[in-house]
């Protein structure tokens, strides 16, 4: 019986969180299922874009936090 793979399975595959047997099954299915392969490619692209995003807050956010802290008497935060 062939297992149906989901988006969550693809994510687990990308992040190498699958058992070897399941990993091998998915690799085989990816070769035959163009729709699943396209979803896999789209996920890889999305993850790549997320990895490039800045993870630091903007200066305006930092200033807003500092202003709020000063108004609450938490200047040394």
């Amino acid at each position: 019986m062939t297992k149906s793979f989901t988006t969550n399975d693809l994510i687990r595959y990308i992040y190498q969180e699958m058992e070897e047997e399941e990993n091998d099954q998915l690799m085989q299915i990816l070769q035959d299922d163009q729709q699943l392969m396209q979803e896999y490619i789209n996920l890889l692209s999305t993850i790549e874009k997320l990895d490039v995003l800045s993870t630091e807050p903007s200066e305006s956010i930092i200033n807003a936090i500092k202003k709020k802290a000063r108004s609450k008497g938490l200047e040394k935060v």
Side-chain angles (χ1 to χ4, degrees), residues 34-47:
Q34 289 300 313
Q35 185 176 351
L36 192 63
M37 177 59 89
Q38 188 58 52
E39 187 172 354
Y40 170 69
I41 291 168
N42 290 342
L43 283 170
L44 284 176
S45 175
T46 300
I47 289 168

Side-chain angles (χ1 to χ4, degrees), residues 57-72 74 77:
S58 68
E59 193 66 32
S60 63
I61 295 296
I62 293 171
N63 290 335
I65 292 169
K66 287 180 178 179
K67 182 178 177 182
K68 187 69 168 180
R70 282 192 295 272
S71 74
K72 299 285 184 185
L74 304 171
V77 171

Side-chain angles (χ1 to χ4, degrees), residues 15-44:
Y15 286 106
Q16 300 173 356
E17 296 175 349
M18 285 187 160
E19 297 293 327
E20 188 174 347
E21 184 178 327
E22 190 179 21
N23 189 60
D24 293 344
Q25 272 186 312
L26 179 57
M27 286 175 38
Q28 186 67 35
I29 290 176
L30 282 172
Q31 292 176 6
D32 300 329
D33 185 334
Q34 289 300 313
Q35 185 176 351
L36 192 63
M37 177 59 89
Q38 188 58 52
E39 187 172 354
Y40 170 69
I41 291 168
N42 290 342
L43 283 170
L44 284 176

